[in-house]
Every structure is written in C-alpha cells, then in structure tokens.
Amino acid sequence: MSRTTALSAATAGAALEATSIELRDLRDDDIVIDIAFAGICHSDIHQVREEWGTAIFPMVPGHEIAGVVSEVGNGVTRYKVGDRVGVGCMVDSCGECEYCKDGQEQFCTKGAVMTYNGKGYDGEETKGGYSQQVVVSERFAVRIPDALELDVAAPLLCAGITTFNPLKRWGAGPGTKVAVVGLGGLGHLGVKFAAALGAEVTVLSQTTSKEADSLKFGAVAHHATKDPETFEKLRGSFDLILNTVSANLPFDDYLSLLKPNGAMVNVGAPSDPSTFAAFSLIGGSKALAGSNIGGIPQTQEMLDFAAEHGIAAEIEKIGADKVNEAYDRVVNSDVRYRFVIDTATIGA
Ligand SMILES: [Zn+2]
Ligand SMILES: [Zn+2]
C-alpha cells in the first residue's frame, strides 16, 4: 500500500491540514492519478462543516479533480500512463442496474459511491481530490481533451456537469430563451454552456455588479432581482430558468417569468424547505424540477463540448495554505468564480 499527501479535516468544522494518507492497492481496473488541480465546490464546505448530516472524518474533500495517469492496473484498457483525466462526484456504482446500464450512475439503485465522505462497496472510506494522488476505477475517470488546461477543467467535473445536464435535458438551444439565476461557480458555467448551445441567455442576479461578466460569458442581458420592476418587465419571457443559488427564492415570482410550458430547474440547494402556489404551475402548465450532476458518458460529452466551444471555468488558483481562507470567501460569495487548489503545494 502506498501513501500520498492530502488536505484533511480531522473533525467536523476543523481546519484542513496537510497529512499523509493511504492509497488502496491497485485493482485490475484501477488507475493512479497524479492530481494537478482540485476545485473547491460549495458542497465540500457543507460536508467538512457537517451541515448536510453526519459525515465521515477525517475527511479529504474534493470532487473536481484534474490530473495525469501515473500507473494503471493489469486490466485497464481505456487509459495509459500520461493520459489527462478527470474525476467528478462518483467513483463507483453497481454497473448492473437500469440506471448504470443507461449511463446515469448517479441514480444507481445500489447507491453510487461518492468520491469522498463515502464508503466503497468494500467498506473502505473514500478520500477526495485535495490530494496529490487518487486511485479510482477507470470506469469513473473521464478524458480531459488537450484543448482544455487542467486548472480550468477541474471545476467542470462538478459545476460543469451540474449545469450542462439540465440545459441539455430541458432543451436549451437555438430559439430558446434561458435565464440563469445566480452568477457564481455554477451560474457562470451555466451561462457559458447555455450560450454555446445556442440559447439566448439572461442572467438574474441580486444586483448589477456582475453585469459586465454576464455579457462576457455570453449572456445578452443581466437583470437585478432586487429591483421589483425586473419581475414585471420579464413576465412570461423564458422557456427555461436554471436556478443555481442556494438561498430560498420566492418561487411564485420566478415561475411567473416562464412562458407557458416552461420549466424552472433547481441545482442550488437551500437548507430550508421552500413553498410555492400550485397555481403558479397549473396556469401555464409549467414545471418545477431539480437536477443531480450527470452520468459518466454525459460528463465526457460535456468535457468534449467545452473543449470544442472554448468553455473553461473562470478560476482563482490558490496554494494549499489558502484553502481555509478560501472556504470563508466561498461562503461570502467572494470568488470569481471558482477556487482551484494547486495540489503540488500540499505539504510543501
Ligand atoms: Zn460539487
Ligand atoms: Zn447501479
């Protein structure tokens, strides 16, 4: 069994500190990835701080992983040493249920194994990407196209697929009008993907402070939701609203912005329950929906699409010594638009 250096939280809410961790012995279908970069997802913070229920400690967070294959198991066929690969939110699933067979491993009936704060089917606790190496089955790695740099590709593994999947499923494309609510780690990628898919994109943000960025990322308009006139002006405008914020929203107001047959899809997760009036949906035959990451085939499709259309995450690259500070900044929405850890600095 070999070891590597990772950033680990000893207990709930503890600061992340460099520590030595064990890597599992290579199985036939395993690859070793020398991690170059790991994105900081808001859900890392929720789990380190145990805000989403009981978590497993010590915890090495990180499910936006980009790196290079450094070793392969005997049975590996898809990757060779030197290949550029990524890993997202999952590292295993049963492979046999209807969802796994359909490439929607996130809905595996046996329960997909999460990249960290999870347990493998062998009972081993999983450790994530704030680390210099990780061992995963080749089935849960995806290829990062040469056109994408590893640092800006890392956030695509969670934030990218989380926004790409619902845009595709709900038909964002030429002739459609899409509103993206919130211009953060998820939202800025939602805008880029929706625009590249051919939709006319509007950003709905609390203020107009990020308007220039919205337009730079491909939106044609940016409106402040603090301005009550916004909801009057935009009534009945959109085919699709992609909600990326994790605060509770007045759903009835947002649903009024949809055209008949439109849909509002949520990928942000407020901690408290939300309410809405059924008539806000019934009147225009509207849908209020959610979306959960995406399967491995679609994650590959998303990366290939990003490479083809020049879509990259906007990042602030940091060393390991800045991660705890970065957590506070993420909570305060003080990042444009994703922190990415240079894993070479862990323990350095
Ligand atoms: Zn995430
Ligand atoms: Zn399954």
Side-chain angles (χ1 to χ4, degrees), residues 5-294:
T5 309
L7 285 178
S8 176
T11 54
L16 290 152
E17 287 177 4
T19 178
S20 171
I21 62 166
E22 279 183 352
L23 294 170
R24 73 171 178 234
D25 290 329
L26 245 61
R27 301 170 186 161
D28 274 357
D29 66 337
D30 274 347
I31 58 175
V32 181
I33 302 172
D34 286 357
I35 300 173
F37 299 100
I40 295 180
C41 176
H42 205 145
S43 65
D44 300 342
I45 301 169
H46 286 302
Q47 291 176 83
V48 165
R49 297 183 176 174
E50 214 170 37
E51 292 164 350
W52 281 355
T54 307
I56 302 168
F57 293 94
M59 182 190 298
V60 177
H63 59 205
E64 294 184 340
I65 299 170
V68 177
V69 176
S70 61
E71 203 182 333
V72 297
N74 291 328
V76 167
T77 58
R78 297 182 201 185
Y79 299 106
K80 59 183 192 314
V81 171
D83 283 353
R84 304 161 85 246
V85 292
V87 175
C89 299
M90 304 176 282
V91 288
D92 205 0
S93 72
C94 83
E96 289 165 1
C97 72
E98 61 177 304
Y99 302 103
C100 285
K101 282 184 174 157
D102 193 37
Q104 300 187 74
E105 297 87 351
Q106 73 271 37
F107 305 133
C108 176
T109 55
K110 192 175 173 184
V113 177
M114 295 293 109
T115 302
Y116 68 89
N117 189 21
K119 276 193 181 155
Y121 296 143
D122 59 0
E124 279 297 304
E125 292 169 3
T126 55
K127 303 266 187 257
Y130 296 9
S131 175
Q132 294 187 326
Q133 287 185 314
V134 69
V135 176
V136 292
S137 162
E138 63 168 341
R139 293 177 296 115
F140 284 81
V142 284
R143 193 174 294 278
I144 297 178
D146 288 339
L148 288 174
E149 296 297 331
L150 293 178
D151 53 0
V152 295
L156 299 177
L157 276 305
C158 172
I161 186 63
T162 296
T163 50
F164 183 77
N165 177 351
L167 290 167
K168 291 281 286 190
R169 177 178 171 200
W170 294 90
T176 63
K177 292 191 175 185
V178 173
V180 175
V181 183
L183 195 70
L186 291 169
H188 89 287
L189 289 170
V191 171
K192 289 186 179 197
F193 279 123
L197 286 164
E200 185 184 306
V201 186
T202 295
V203 172
L204 302 176
S205 181
Q206 283 187 296
T207 68
T208 55
S209 66
K210 294 177 179 170
E211 181 165 12
D213 281 355
S214 290
L215 302 182
K216 191 173 79 184
F217 301 154
V220 298
H222 177 116
H223 295 278
T225 53
K226 274 193 173 162
D227 178 357
E229 270 185 26
T230 291
F231 288 89
E232 282 305 314
K233 251 183 335 209
L234 299 176
R235 177 177 294 271
S237 294
F238 303 110
D239 300 284
L240 173 63
I241 298 174
L242 179 64
N243 173 25
T244 71
V245 308
S246 50
N248 273 291
L249 293 182
F251 274 124
D252 299 303
D253 292 347
Y254 281 85
L255 291 167
S256 76
L257 304 182
L258 289 171
K259 296 179 188 177
N261 303 310
M264 177 168 177
V265 184
N266 295 280
V267 293
S271 44
D272 296 324
S274 305
T275 59
F276 64 93
F279 273 112
S280 295
L281 298 176
I282 293 168
S285 296
K286 296 169 184 176
L288 182 59
S291 186
N292 179 20
I293 52 173

